[in-house]
Amino acid sequence: MDETKREVTFELNGEIVDLLVPPTYRLVDILRKDLNLTGTKMSCEIGRCGACSVLINGQVVNSCLVMAYQLQNAKVETIESISKNSLHPIQQAFLEEGGLQCGYCTPGMIVALSDLLENNPDPTDDEVLEHLSGNLCRCTGYTGILRAIKNYKVKMVKKSTI
């Protein structure tokens, strides 16, 4: 075994991953460089923008702040798992309501919002904004994002009554 690398085993999007990585590697490095999962974006690299948001053990975290050794036996879900077979309904709502412009922050927003909506299917605007407080969008001003949540909630209510 290469002494400069460490073994890490974790579940990623439903599959077990076993890698040898440098001890200074972060989750965002593993996702983008080793596994070619580029949906998770790298922006500020200091945990302030949320572009790299993923779920670890059901919690939204900034993957730029998670060291490889912290992944041991963890369950990680990325934007790729959220839209594995088709667009997630919140992604569709973003498209319909102009919830994105450049799209760079969108994967992190979708990860955070899918977490919120799974735990609270009818959030208020204030709850949405609070849950997104770790996700910075420089383009939309959040109005389109709030419209997207309203669109999503309306569609989910219609879907549940059918």
Side-chain angles (χ1 to χ4, degrees), residues 61-81:
V61 299
N62 293 321
S63 62
C64 70
L65 298 178
V66 178
M67 300 305 292
Y69 71 86
Q70 294 174 293
L71 296 171
Q72 192 62 37
N73 300 319
K75 180 179 179 182
V76 179
E77 295 173 77
T78 67
I79 187 68
E80 286 85 358
S81 74

PDB file of all heavy atoms in Angstrom, residues 61-81:
ATOM      1  N   VAL A  61     -24.190  18.994   3.900  1.00  0.00           N
ATOM      2  CA  VAL A  61     -22.852  19.460   4.284  1.00  0.00           C
ATOM      3  C   VAL A  61     -22.140  20.010   3.051  1.00  0.00           C
ATOM      4  O   VAL A  61     -22.475  19.675   1.913  1.00  0.00           O
ATOM      5  CB  VAL A  61     -21.986  18.345   4.918  1.00  0.00           C
ATOM      6  CG1 VAL A  61     -22.603  17.810   6.188  1.00  0.00           C
ATOM      7  CG2 VAL A  61     -21.731  17.232   3.931  1.00  0.00           C
ATOM      8  N   ASN A  62     -21.149  20.837   3.291  1.00  0.00           N
ATOM      9  CA  ASN A  62     -20.293  21.348   2.230  1.00  0.00           C
ATOM     10  C   ASN A  62     -19.169  20.339   2.020  1.00  0.00           C
ATOM     11  O   ASN A  62     -18.341  20.133   2.924  1.00  0.00           O
ATOM     12  CB  ASN A  62     -19.711  22.710   2.599  1.00  0.00           C
ATOM     13  CG  ASN A  62     -20.776  23.772   2.669  1.00  0.00           C
ATOM     14  OD1 ASN A  62     -21.687  23.807   1.864  1.00  0.00           O
ATOM     15  ND2 ASN A  62     -20.662  24.639   3.650  1.00  0.00           N
ATOM     16  N   SER A  63     -19.115  19.742   0.844  1.00  0.00           N
ATOM     17  CA  SER A  63     -18.125  18.693   0.601  1.00  0.00           C
ATOM     18  C   SER A  63     -16.698  19.220   0.574  1.00  0.00           C
ATOM     19  O   SER A  63     -15.750  18.455   0.733  1.00  0.00           O
ATOM     20  CB  SER A  63     -18.444  17.942  -0.692  1.00  0.00           C
ATOM     21  OG  SER A  63     -18.396  18.791  -1.816  1.00  0.00           O
ATOM     22  N   CYS A  64     -16.534  20.533   0.431  1.00  0.00           N
ATOM     23  CA  CYS A  64     -15.183  21.112   0.466  1.00  0.00           C
ATOM     24  C   CYS A  64     -14.618  21.128   1.885  1.00  0.00           C
ATOM     25  O   CYS A  64     -13.418  21.325   2.062  1.00  0.00           O
ATOM     26  CB  CYS A  64     -15.164  22.514  -0.131  1.00  0.00           C
ATOM     27  SG  CYS A  64     -16.006  23.778   0.856  1.00  0.00           S
ATOM     28  N   LEU A  65     -15.456  20.909   2.888  1.00  0.00           N
ATOM     29  CA  LEU A  65     -15.012  20.929   4.281  1.00  0.00           C
ATOM     30  C   LEU A  65     -14.891  19.536   4.889  1.00  0.00           C
ATOM     31  O   LEU A  65     -14.520  19.402   6.053  1.00  0.00           O
ATOM     32  CB  LEU A  65     -15.978  21.763   5.131  1.00  0.00           C
ATOM     33  CG  LEU A  65     -16.112  23.229   4.771  1.00  0.00           C
ATOM     34  CD1 LEU A  65     -17.133  23.905   5.674  1.00  0.00           C
ATOM     35  CD2 LEU A  65     -14.775  23.940   4.827  1.00  0.00           C
ATOM     36  N   VAL A  66     -15.208  18.510   4.103  1.00  0.00           N
ATOM     37  CA  VAL A  66     -15.189  17.144   4.613  1.00  0.00           C
ATOM     38  C   VAL A  66     -13.914  16.452   4.130  1.00  0.00           C
ATOM     39  O   VAL A  66     -13.703  16.287   2.931  1.00  0.00           O
ATOM     40  CB  VAL A  66     -16.428  16.359   4.138  1.00  0.00           C
ATOM     41  CG1 VAL A  66     -16.376  14.917   4.626  1.00  0.00           C
ATOM     42  CG2 VAL A  66     -17.706  17.038   4.615  1.00  0.00           C
ATOM     43  N   MET A  67     -13.087  16.077   5.082  1.00  0.00           N
ATOM     44  CA  MET A  67     -11.851  15.374   4.751  1.00  0.00           C
ATOM     45  C   MET A  67     -12.160  13.903   4.456  1.00  0.00           C
ATOM     46  O   MET A  67     -13.117  13.338   4.994  1.00  0.00           O
ATOM     47  CB  MET A  67     -10.846  15.488   5.892  1.00  0.00           C
ATOM     48  CG  MET A  67     -10.455  16.923   6.222  1.00  0.00           C
ATOM     49  SD  MET A  67      -9.830  17.859   4.800  1.00  0.00           S
ATOM     50  CE  MET A  67      -8.299  17.015   4.488  1.00  0.00           C
ATOM     51  N   ALA A  68     -11.336  13.309   3.624  1.00  0.00           N
ATOM     52  CA  ALA A  68     -11.558  11.927   3.198  1.00  0.00           C
ATOM     53  C   ALA A  68     -11.729  10.978   4.375  1.00  0.00           C
ATOM     54  O   ALA A  68     -12.619  10.119   4.369  1.00  0.00           O
ATOM     55  CB  ALA A  68     -10.417  11.471   2.297  1.00  0.00           C
ATOM     56  N   TYR A  69     -10.903  11.121   5.403  1.00  0.00           N
ATOM     57  CA  TYR A  69     -10.981  10.202   6.544  1.00  0.00           C
ATOM     58  C   TYR A  69     -12.330  10.281   7.259  1.00  0.00           C
ATOM     59  O   TYR A  69     -12.760   9.325   7.905  1.00  0.00           O
ATOM     60  CB  TYR A  69      -9.831  10.439   7.533  1.00  0.00           C
ATOM     61  CG  TYR A  69      -9.938  11.719   8.326  1.00  0.00           C
ATOM     62  CD1 TYR A  69     -10.663  11.770   9.505  1.00  0.00           C
ATOM     63  CD2 TYR A  69      -9.311  12.884   7.890  1.00  0.00           C
ATOM     64  CE1 TYR A  69     -10.767  12.943  10.232  1.00  0.00           C
ATOM     65  CE2 TYR A  69      -9.407  14.060   8.606  1.00  0.00           C
ATOM     66  CZ  TYR A  69     -10.133  14.084   9.775  1.00  0.00           C
ATOM     67  OH  TYR A  69     -10.247  15.258  10.487  1.00  0.00           O
ATOM     68  N   GLN A  70     -13.041  11.400   7.132  1.00  0.00           N
ATOM     69  CA  GLN A  70     -14.341  11.542   7.772  1.00  0.00           C
ATOM     70  C   GLN A  70     -15.434  10.751   7.056  1.00  0.00           C
ATOM     71  O   GLN A  70     -16.535  10.619   7.571  1.00  0.00           O
ATOM     72  CB  GLN A  70     -14.738  13.021   7.825  1.00  0.00           C
ATOM     73  CG  GLN A  70     -13.843  13.846   8.720  1.00  0.00           C
ATOM     74  CD  GLN A  70     -14.172  15.323   8.634  1.00  0.00           C
ATOM     75  OE1 GLN A  70     -13.976  15.950   7.598  1.00  0.00           O
ATOM     76  NE2 GLN A  70     -14.675  15.857   9.729  1.00  0.00           N
ATOM     77  N   LEU A  71     -15.129  10.237   5.889  1.00  0.00           N
ATOM     78  CA  LEU A  71     -16.116   9.502   5.102  1.00  0.00           C
ATOM     79  C   LEU A  71     -16.231   8.036   5.491  1.00  0.00           C
ATOM     80  O   LEU A  71     -17.163   7.363   5.056  1.00  0.00           O
ATOM     81  CB  LEU A  71     -15.762   9.579   3.613  1.00  0.00           C
ATOM     82  CG  LEU A  71     -15.795  10.968   3.011  1.00  0.00           C
ATOM     83  CD1 LEU A  71     -15.216  10.950   1.614  1.00  0.00           C
ATOM     84  CD2 LEU A  71     -17.207  11.501   3.018  1.00  0.00           C
ATOM     85  N   GLN A  72     -15.292   7.540   6.266  1.00  0.00           N
ATOM     86  CA  GLN A  72     -15.274   6.114   6.588  1.00  0.00           C
ATOM     87  C   GLN A  72     -16.644   5.660   7.084  1.00  0.00           C
ATOM     88  O   GLN A  72     -17.169   6.194   8.055  1.00  0.00           O
ATOM     89  CB  GLN A  72     -14.198   5.818   7.627  1.00  0.00           C
ATOM     90  CG  GLN A  72     -13.909   4.344   7.807  1.00  0.00           C
ATOM     91  CD  GLN A  72     -13.368   3.693   6.539  1.00  0.00           C
ATOM     92  OE1 GLN A  72     -12.606   4.265   5.787  1.00  0.00           O
ATOM     93  NE2 GLN A  72     -13.802   2.473   6.315  1.00  0.00           N
ATOM     94  N   ASN A  73     -17.231   4.711   6.342  1.00  0.00           N
ATOM     95  CA  ASN A  73     -18.539   4.109   6.646  1.00  0.00           C
ATOM     96  C   ASN A  73     -19.714   5.082   6.559  1.00  0.00           C
ATOM     97  O   ASN A  73     -20.800   4.779   7.047  1.00  0.00           O
ATOM     98  CB  ASN A  73     -18.518   3.424   8.015  1.00  0.00           C
ATOM     99  CG  ASN A  73     -17.477   2.328   8.069  1.00  0.00           C
ATOM    100  OD1 ASN A  73     -17.315   1.576   7.109  1.00  0.00           O
ATOM    101  ND2 ASN A  73     -16.753   2.258   9.162  1.00  0.00           N
ATOM    102  N   ALA A  74     -19.533   6.242   5.956  1.00  0.00           N
ATOM    103  CA  ALA A  74     -20.619   7.213   5.815  1.00  0.00           C
ATOM    104  C   ALA A  74     -21.471   6.876   4.593  1.00  0.00           C
ATOM    105  O   ALA A  74     -21.071   6.127   3.700  1.00  0.00           O
ATOM    106  CB  ALA A  74     -20.047   8.623   5.671  1.00  0.00           C
ATOM    107  N   LYS A  75     -22.636   7.471   4.562  1.00  0.00           N
ATOM    108  CA  LYS A  75     -23.539   7.364   3.414  1.00  0.00           C
ATOM    109  C   LYS A  75     -23.588   8.746   2.764  1.00  0.00           C
ATOM    110  O   LYS A  75     -24.053   9.713   3.379  1.00  0.00           O
ATOM    111  CB  LYS A  75     -24.937   6.936   3.861  1.00  0.00           C
ATOM    112  CG  LYS A  75     -25.917   6.812   2.716  1.00  0.00           C
ATOM    113  CD  LYS A  75     -27.291   6.370   3.211  1.00  0.00           C
ATOM    114  CE  LYS A  75     -28.244   6.293   2.031  1.00  0.00           C
ATOM    115  NZ  LYS A  75     -29.592   5.917   2.475  1.00  0.00           N
ATOM    116  N   VAL A  76     -23.115   8.845   1.523  1.00  0.00           N
ATOM    117  CA  VAL A  76     -23.026  10.111   0.806  1.00  0.00           C
ATOM    118  C   VAL A  76     -23.993  10.086  -0.381  1.00  0.00           C
ATOM    119  O   VAL A  76     -24.045   9.102  -1.122  1.00  0.00           O
ATOM    120  CB  VAL A  76     -21.586  10.360   0.297  1.00  0.00           C
ATOM    121  CG1 VAL A  76     -21.507  11.672  -0.474  1.00  0.00           C
ATOM    122  CG2 VAL A  76     -20.602  10.343   1.456  1.00  0.00           C
ATOM    123  N   GLU A  77     -24.751  11.178  -0.532  1.00  0.00           N
ATOM    124  CA  GLU A  77     -25.640  11.315  -1.685  1.00  0.00           C
ATOM    125  C   GLU A  77     -25.320  12.645  -2.367  1.00  0.00           C
ATOM    126  O   GLU A  77     -25.239  13.680  -1.715  1.00  0.00           O
ATOM    127  CB  GLU A  77     -27.101  11.293  -1.248  1.00  0.00           C
ATOM    128  CG  GLU A  77     -27.520   9.964  -0.641  1.00  0.00           C
ATOM    129  CD  GLU A  77     -28.913  10.039  -0.076  1.00  0.00           C
ATOM    130  OE1 GLU A  77     -29.868  10.008  -0.869  1.00  0.00           O
ATOM    131  OE2 GLU A  77     -29.017  10.159   1.161  1.00  0.00           O
ATOM    132  N   THR A  78     -25.148  12.587  -3.679  1.00  0.00           N
ATOM    133  CA  THR A  78     -24.838  13.772  -4.468  1.00  0.00           C
ATOM    134  C   THR A  78     -26.013  14.126  -5.368  1.00  0.00           C
ATOM    135  O   THR A  78     -27.004  13.394  -5.436  1.00  0.00           O
ATOM    136  CB  THR A  78     -23.601  13.526  -5.353  1.00  0.00           C
ATOM    137  OG1 THR A  78     -23.934  12.546  -6.343  1.00  0.00           O
ATOM    138  CG2 THR A  78     -22.404  13.079  -4.521  1.00  0.00           C
ATOM    139  N   ILE A  79     -25.866  15.211  -6.090  1.00  0.00           N
ATOM    140  CA  ILE A  79     -26.904  15.619  -7.050  1.00  0.00           C
ATOM    141  C   ILE A  79     -27.177  14.506  -8.060  1.00  0.00           C
ATOM    142  O   ILE A  79     -28.310  14.345  -8.506  1.00  0.00           O
ATOM    143  CB  ILE A  79     -26.515  16.952  -7.752  1.00  0.00           C
ATOM    144  CG1 ILE A  79     -27.649  17.474  -8.630  1.00  0.00           C
ATOM    145  CG2 ILE A  79     -25.245  16.790  -8.565  1.00  0.00           C
ATOM    146  CD1 ILE A  79     -28.873  17.934  -7.894  1.00  0.00           C
ATOM    147  N   GLU A  80     -26.162  13.715  -8.382  1.00  0.00           N
ATOM    148  CA  GLU A  80     -26.357  12.628  -9.345  1.00  0.00           C
ATOM    149  C   GLU A  80     -27.357  11.597  -8.845  1.00  0.00           C
ATOM    150  O   GLU A  80     -28.085  11.012  -9.639  1.00  0.00           O
ATOM    151  CB  GLU A  80     -25.018  11.959  -9.681  1.00  0.00           C
ATOM    152  CG  GLU A  80     -24.109  12.778 -10.574  1.00  0.00           C
ATOM    153  CD  GLU A  80     -23.231  13.784  -9.833  1.00  0.00           C
ATOM    154  OE1 GLU A  80     -23.337  13.890  -8.582  1.00  0.00           O
ATOM    155  OE2 GLU A  80     -22.444  14.467 -10.501  1.00  0.00           O
ATOM    156  N   SER A  81     -27.429  11.378  -7.532  1.00  0.00           N
ATOM    157  CA  SER A  81     -28.391  10.405  -7.008  1.00  0.00           C
ATOM    158  C   SER A  81     -29.800  10.978  -6.961  1.00  0.00           C
ATOM    159  O   SER A  81     -30.773  10.245  -7.018  1.00  0.00           O
ATOM    160  CB  SER A  81     -27.985   9.919  -5.615  1.00  0.00           C
ATOM    161  OG  SER A  81     -28.216  10.909  -4.643  1.00  0.00           O
TER     162      SER A  81
END
